[in-house]
Amino acid sequence: MTTMQKLLQLPVNAVNIVKTVQSQVQGQEEDKSPVLTPDGGQQTWYNALQPDELRHLRSGGSGGGFGGGGGGGGGGDQEERAVLEEGGGSFQNQPLRHDDLKEMLDSNKDSLKLEAMKRIVAMVARGKNASDLFPAVVKNVACKNIEVKKLVYVYLVRYAEEQQDLALLSISTFQRGLKDPNQLIRASALRVLSSIRVTIIVPIMMLAIKEAASDMSPYVRKTAAHAIPKLYSLDPEQKDQLIEVIEKLLADKTTLVAGSVVMAFEEVCPERIDLIHKNYRKLCNLLIDVEEWGQVVIINMLTRYARTQFLNPNINESLLEEGGEKTFYGSEEDEDEDDEDKDKKAEVATMAKRKPYVMDPDHRLLLRNTKPLLQSRNAAVVMAVAQLYFHLAPKAEVGVIAKALVRLLRSHSEVQYVVLQNVATMTIKRRGMFEPYLKSFYIRSTDPTQIKVLKLEVLTNLANETNISTILREFQTYIKSMDKDFVAATIQAIGRCATNIGEVRDTCLNGLVQLLSNRDELVVAESVVVIKKLLQMQPEKHSDIIKHMAKLIDNIQVPMARASILWLIGEYCEHVPKISPDVLRKMAKSFTNEEDIVKLQIINLAAKLYLTNSKQTKLLTQYVLNLAKYDQNYDIRDRARFIRQLIVPTEKSGALSKYAKKLFLALKPAPVLESPFKDRDHFQLGSLSHLLNAKAGGYQELPDWPEAAPDPSVRNVEVKESVFTLLERVTTLTSVPEWTKCSSREKRKEKKVEKPFYSDSEGESGPTESADSESDSANGSESVSGSEVSGSGSESEESEEGSESEEEEEEEDEEKDKKKKKKELKKKPVQESESEQSSEEEEEERKHERKSKPRKSDSETESGDEEESESESSQSESDESESEAEVKKKKKAAQSKPPAKPVKTDGKKEKKEMSLLDLDDFEPAPSPQVTPVNSFLSSSLVTDLEGLSLSDSVLSPATIAPSSALKSYELLHRITGEGLSVEYCFSRQPFSPDANMVAVQIQFTNNATSDTKNLHMEDVKLQSGMRVKEFPEIELLPAGETTTAVMGIDFCDSTQAANFQLCTHTRKFFVSIQPPVGELMRPIFLTENEFKKEQGQLMGMNEITERLTLDVKCRNEHTIVQRVTTAANLSRVPCGSDKECRFAGRTVTSSSLVLVTVATKEEGAAQLTVNCEKMVIGTMLVKDILQALTQ
Amino acid sequence: MIHSLFLINHTGDIFLEKHWKSVISRGVCDYFLEVKEKAVEPENVPPVLQTPHHYLISIYRDKLFFLSVIQTEVPPLFVIEFLHRVADTFQDYFGECSESIIKDNVVTVYELLEEMLDNGFPLATESNILKEMIKPPTILRSVVNTLTGSSNVGDKLPTGQLSNIPWRRAAVKYTNNEAYFDVIEEIDAILDKSGMTVFAEIQGVIEACTRLSGMPDLTLSFMNPRLLDDVSFHPCVRFKRWESERVLSFIPPDGNFTLMTYHVSSQNLVAIPVYVKQNISFFETGSCGRLDITIGPKQTMGKMVEGLMVTVHMPKAVLSVNLTASQGNYTYDLATKVLVWDIGKLNPQKPPNLRGTLSVQSGAPRPEENPALDIKLKIQQLAISGLKVNRLDMYGEKYKPFKGVKYMTKAGKFQVRT
């Protein structure tokens, strides 16, 4: 009701028009919502109104007979326009022209209307007033022609604020648009409606926004997000309601909306950081796929968020830094800092021992997900990430941003300007970061002055003992520049280098003294000023320079320089006792002609000389003081009077004169030449406030790190409600206790694994499917290359990489204890598994077989395994894929290496080389042609499978025996392992120490002639959230023997590889284990009804359907079941129809349901449906099963 | 965010204004114009200015100032980057971005600005989306439009905004499918007086032109991706794929775009293709100077050096020059004091030479610094870093596209100090 009433309280002239329809609307309103629902009736009132009444309105408006307000306003406007146009010096006959335009707008021809609108918009663009055309224009708002309509919108938005009452006439058109079935029309209607700044329609806007916020189309929701700040600026009282809408939109899962809603959040309620908690992880994960402008806003907001929620990762170092800053002179501080850099690692380690810091996995998530954006083409995005790293990352990781920022220096000069400002601030805190890029800051003579000065600033900040000589040489060229402001800045920079670096102080001083003979007066003057500052540090040593400068006084005219020299002579008159009175004599002569600052210094000089050497200078001093007494400047007169009282003892003079000497000749501390960028980093970098070094309106302070981290569980997101309740229901039904108790941490992980949008689409588009599965090899190569930064990117969540060995050792100890327990525990599952086995005897047989011919099976699997290991090794050597020929060469080289080492390799090597050369393709991801078996498979099936199995040789002879033949993957090849070959397979057994882990069975074979000792794992590098349970150390593996061990890996439901080092007593090998997606789940039992129910809940995005033609050999139910269960660890769901095979499982970590249906039709046609809440898993699974069924 | 935009020409006339929120008087530009008056060169106007109630962020492009008015905190780079994107869009639409062309197309410009920002926040900045909404003017179209009365604004709704890959138009169709890639490398270098390299690096860019039907998915791989030190990509490139395999995998935008830019790792020594022998001196007496420049080939990898050009910003005191060039010709602009020597192809047998006298304003002090030489050059069919494209594969579409890769080396910021 209120809405309508407000709307209907129209200004005088609009009421007249609306009156006719008022009753109609009200009638409608009684039975409908309070909005102007644009139903049929509505349209008619508008339509009825449009042609006739508007024309009345227009003529009335210009005739002045129509309502006082409107007419008056129009007249005023016309006057204004006239004034404006006269000012612009343009047309005299403008009013006529406007009539002209009005006529065109009234015509029926679209082309005429368009022409008129174009001319009007051109007027608007030039800043001419076209407001008197408003009535004529506004009635075209419903015009059919899109271009006319758009131009009308442009006009409307521009003038609606001035002509509020008339603007209201257009509202109903937009309201109708809001209901249009086409999302783009809905969006554009909302966009224009919300842009009209008329307070009276605030309630309508509010309703429109609320409605649009729950629109089906993400594009409309995005528009709604855009409309929020518009409404807020129009009426801040709506804040509470708007926050509700923002909260709702923040929960949106599409990339399209994310950027816009965060922008709205920042404008309306940046203080409501609590709204972010639940969406934090989602925003982090979506970030890479959000459009670039949205990325900037989100990253800046998340920086602030992280500052309130996480602990300072540099807490230990910052303590240290503070210690360093206490020393007074910069130079010492530098040394400290430098040492600090060198011994950083060691120090971190010691500090960590004192107070271990553990990074919140969410903090890590943010850092990891923003890092790729450093590669963005958009400078603003790069800068946003850079500031995020600067403010949030551990010191050791900040370095990555330097390269990207240096890249921006190639961009437009405005970009350079902003980037350099930020770099300048960064170099003060983190100098080491930019040191390698020193030369990128060298100055070109064609740079704009402001860029030059900023580069100079950076160079100065970067200067240290090692590079100062190059920097000074560079400065020497700058001094000769034609740009005198720049030269002056260079001289100051030299001065700062000299004060900061003790070693070069004398060199710099000499250089500056040489500059004193420069022909350019500005240069000399600047040098004098800087020398003065430098001399203050050690005046004793440099009396000759002071003498030299005393001579200069005759030539230098720049007042500041003259004043500086005089001050120096006065201050150190004892070092130059002969010259100083003479200088005073000269100055006394020229006193009246000097500038004020020089005069003041002359008085000072006189006073000081009088105190030290009154015999020679008494008269001169009196003379000077007398001159000063009658000076025009009152400052000088005051000073003279004051000094006379102070230094000349008279009866009247007070007690102060006794201390005159102390007053004047007190030891003055040398000035500290500081960078103007010091401490600027209390502003968030990259912000306008930072650039201006002043708080800009609307700037949100970057909060300090909290002392103790707030509760991280606030960010836990309940699994999408429906699914969650569903889960609960399932668990009550099946009463399997293990995965019902998923801890908060698990849920968190689950969130993390959720892939951003783009990667989903990757999964769908054929050729790039491998992108996901291959990403692990990148991690592999990263960790192999050992670069600190990338390595730490994938570090484990428990310990920050920086925090070093001691901690790890402790952990290892713990781990060992655990392992012992595990050993004990291990027996249990073994027994279970054995009982599950079809027959133990069979197993026994197989063992024998394997023992008898291990070699043979080895060579059988060779080609496949070789592929993997080779690709791994070539990637570890260099993360590039070169041309085939080159790769082959390399392989040969790699081949020739091992024999050179003492490990004995026999004739089999040749065989291998053959197979190597056959390779023409390498795929890091192991293809999932697996032949595993589920516990429920019949024993006959198992025997069937054995025939297909590539490598039953993997099966362990030891205690643990999997139920059936399993596909094994090579972890370490015999040759790269120098005799040690390692294979692994997914045993599909529950891993008893931790139910969330996938059991991986590892088989070690020692093919070397010597024994291998102390086989164990080290240096596990994982994606965050992933965990590993290491296998117990194998103390001795005699030559020729084989042994197995089991480890558990929590892959967090992703196919990311687990990278670690396999260590023997002599060597370390980098290896990685990557699971096929089918191994990330475990079978569960569902009834047919349950299955259908669950499937019903996982429709839409969670369902992936693919048509396929079954392989000729694979057309009976039996083989389908076999192949599906081979590809994925699922169990079969009983089913009434024989045309359908159903399978069910849950992912290991998050217990998300995975449902697979294969429906067969005639002639091998079939349809595969996968329902899984995790779309990435679903997509990959479809791919794998498809492959299994069609081959 | 961005409140208003003013376009100002180099003489200080405001010729276009656009407001996204309530109107701000153009009087706000006076602060800017004041600073601009003081600055000697337009480049020296600081990009960010503070006025009592507003902040002014401006860029200088093609002799025009794009001045935006800001009221609250915003990352300055956000605005600067956006303004450049606006200028790029104009360039893309009209072929150039000058005052006259903007005035001629003021309605289109206004429509573009309306679509690019909503309430001061960027809305559609991808040129493919914009072109779907507002067609760029062509001569043919303007003729047709005047005859038929049809318009420049697309009558179909722009579906590109809804897509996951906003950079690509939907339903692209070509009879000839082709994809061209230009690998262009620029040498940035500073050489000192004696010809020693003070600093040199190679920056590269891959410009692509794809005219492919449907939704092709391309994969571009390099023979030696290890050379690439620092890269930045068009948003279409899948970063993960690059991280793991060092290949560029992407669904390309339609038409011309910059696929990636890269920096060649600094470990590799940069081959400097030419040597420069120069001698510029001003005599203490007699108000004149002498100039002698010779350029010869150094490390050209057996390729022809073309488009050789030397630019010298002479000191203000140099009144005129009297030179002879053994090859090419030279011009000296008296107003800006810029000497340009256009050489053309570099003849390795007979290195081109420019020598003669400079006359200096009498009475003026001898110029302190010798002017630096800016060198421009081009070498076709060579990427100086040695980067090579290995292969280009296309997935997702059936047809066979025509593929081509071109290499070129240019001088970037190549400066010789004297």
Side-chain angles (χ1 to χ4, degrees), chain A residues 842-858:
Chain A
E842 222 176 79
E843 180 63 28
E844 287 293 322
E845 262 178 42
R846 237 179 296 136
K847 270 187 229 163
H848 281 294
E849 255 176 49
R850 191 179 336 102
K851 271 188 182 167
S852 61
K853 46 172 185 180
R855 287 302 103 187
K856 191 189 160 201
S857 59
D858 219 323

Side-chain angles (χ1 to χ4, degrees), chain A residues 247-264:
Chain A
E247 195 170 1
K248 184 174 181 184
L249 286 172
L250 274 173
D252 204 294
K253 289 190 171 49
T254 54
T255 50
L256 216 50
V257 182
S260 307
V261 69
V262 172
M263 194 266 304

Side-chain angles (χ1 to χ4, degrees), chain A residues 304-363:
Chain A
R304 249 176 40 235
Y305 178 84
R307 269 294 183 98
T308 61
Q309 300 298 320
F310 306 130
L311 290 177
N312 185 355
N314 300 319
I315 187 124
N316 299 324
E317 280 144 73
S318 64
L319 288 175
L320 220 87
E321 267 169 21
E322 275 163 31
E325 269 163 28
K326 272 172 199 156
T327 53
F328 191 78
Y329 287 116
S331 59
E332 286 158 45
E333 186 186 300
D334 287 333
E335 281 152 23
D336 285 1
E337 264 181 23
D338 230 54
D339 290 346
E340 194 183 298
D341 281 342
K342 281 174 207 158
D343 312 337
K344 196 169 55 193
K345 279 211 154 184
E347 274 173 29
V348 170
T350 52
M351 295 303 284
K353 205 173 168 186
R354 240 178 280 162
K355 194 181 177 187
Y357 163 76
V358 178
M359 186 182 267
D360 189 303
D362 285 329
H363 190 174

Side-chain angles (χ1 to χ4, degrees), chain A residues 368-425:
Chain A
R368 197 180 52 231
N369 282 5
T370 46
K371 197 173 154 199
L373 296 178
L374 281 176
Q375 254 66 47
S376 171
R377 66 171 168 173
N378 188 318
V381 177
V382 176
M383 189 66 231
V385 180
Q387 65 84 19
L388 181 134
Y389 261 75
F390 182 79
H391 290 300
L392 300 180
K395 200 174 172 188
E397 290 170 45
V398 181
V400 291
I401 63 175
K403 205 186 266 181
L405 287 177
V406 169
R407 178 192 342 123
L408 296 186
L409 295 182
R410 289 263 308 166
S411 191
H412 303 283
S413 79
E414 296 89 6
V415 176
Q416 287 183 43
Y417 176 76
V418 178
V419 171
L420 283 169
Q421 296 250 2
N422 287 291
V423 169
T425 307

Side-chain angles (χ1 to χ4, degrees), chain A residues 653-710:
Chain A
S653 66
L656 260 183
S657 60
K658 274 188 265 174
Y659 303 104
K661 205 165 185 174
K662 270 191 183 164
L663 282 173
F664 279 100
L665 298 174
L667 205 61
K668 292 156 188 94
V672 183
L673 299 179
E674 259 181 6
S675 164
F677 287 88
K678 194 168 189 290
D679 286 338
R680 267 219 211 168
D681 62 335
H682 66 271
F683 288 113
Q684 185 168 3
L685 261 71
S687 68
L688 186 61
S689 304
H690 169 266
L691 190 82
L692 300 167
N693 202 14
K695 209 174 155 214
Y699 172 73
Q700 295 289 318
E701 292 278 353
L702 193 64
D704 277 331
W705 294 100
E707 289 288 316

Side-chain angles (χ1 to χ4, degrees), chain A residues 200-216:
Chain A
I200 214 163
I201 63 162
V202 162
I204 295 178
M205 275 163 75
M206 192 69 227
L207 272 167
I209 289 174
K210 278 185 176 169
E211 211 153 295
S214 41
D215 196 284
M216 263 169 53

Side-chain angles (χ1 to χ4, degrees), chain A residues 147 191 410 480 762, chain B residues 114 151 188 226 238 369:
Chain A
E147 185 160 18
R191 192 178 155 203
R410 289 263 308 166
K480 285 185 246 154
E762 265 181 2
Chain B
E114 181 75 23
S151 71
D188 285 0
R226 205 197 314 196
R238 297 181 177 97
E369 185 196 38

